[in-house]
Amino acid sequence: MMFPRYAAYGAIHALLAVALGAFAAHGLEDKLSADYLAVFETGVRYQMYHAIGLFLLSLLAGKLNEPRRLLLAGRLMHAGIILFSGSLYVLSLTGFSKLGIITPIGGVAFIAAWALTAAAAWGSQKRNSA
């Protein structure tokens, strides 16, 4: 089973990360403080990491017999990008610090997604060696 939708999500998130990174480097450099620019760049970096993660999930789905775990991992990565990176973008552009409540939820989604990915790989390995 393949998850081509996750490859598409990964590509879209990677495209947006590159575009937002270029926007930050060329359009925000003189408009944001160094601290807020670093916050924005953290959002871009984690968006790209997890865009690649979505690609990896798409590829792993064809190798591992763990569709439920991998589907949930992909949903959590997608949600994590929106919550974590999205909240950092809004925070850096607006200074609205109350979004600090949302950012860790996105981080927990990332952690859970990687834990599910590890569990899927481990579970598939145990099943194949039995």
Side-chain angles (χ1 to χ4, degrees):
M1 172 181 284
M2 291 282 294
F3 297 149
R5 182 176 299 165
Y6 287 174
Y9 289 156
I12 291 166
H13 283 301
L15 176 150
L16 289 172
V18 171
L20 289 167
F23 173 64
H26 301 290
L28 296 177
E29 194 172 45
D30 298 333
K31 297 188 179 26
L32 295 181
S33 70
D35 288 342
Y36 277 141
L37 192 58
V39 167
F40 194 94
E41 289 171 349
T42 297
V44 169
R45 189 170 56 253
Y46 276 78
Q47 182 170 349
M48 183 58 82
Y49 292 158
H50 292 88
I52 294 167
L54 285 166
F55 271 112
L56 292 174
L57 285 176
S58 178
L59 295 173
L60 280 175
K63 303 282 184 201
L64 304 178
N65 188 20
E66 291 284 338
R68 287 182 23 204
R69 286 180 178 161
L70 293 176
L71 277 169
L72 183 54
R75 289 179 182 143
L76 286 168
M77 276 192 198
H78 187 62
I81 290 170
I82 293 165
L83 295 171
F84 184 87
S85 294
S87 67
L88 292 180
Y89 299 146
V90 173
L91 168 66
S92 62
L93 293 172
T94 67
F96 186 65
S97 62
K98 301 245 191 264
L99 286 175
I101 296 168
I102 295 173
T103 308
I105 296 169
V108 169
F110 287 153
I111 292 166
W114 288 112
L116 282 167
T117 303
W122 188 261
S124 181
Q125 177 189 11
K126 287 176 90 173
R127 217 181 339 277
N128 289 339
S129 64

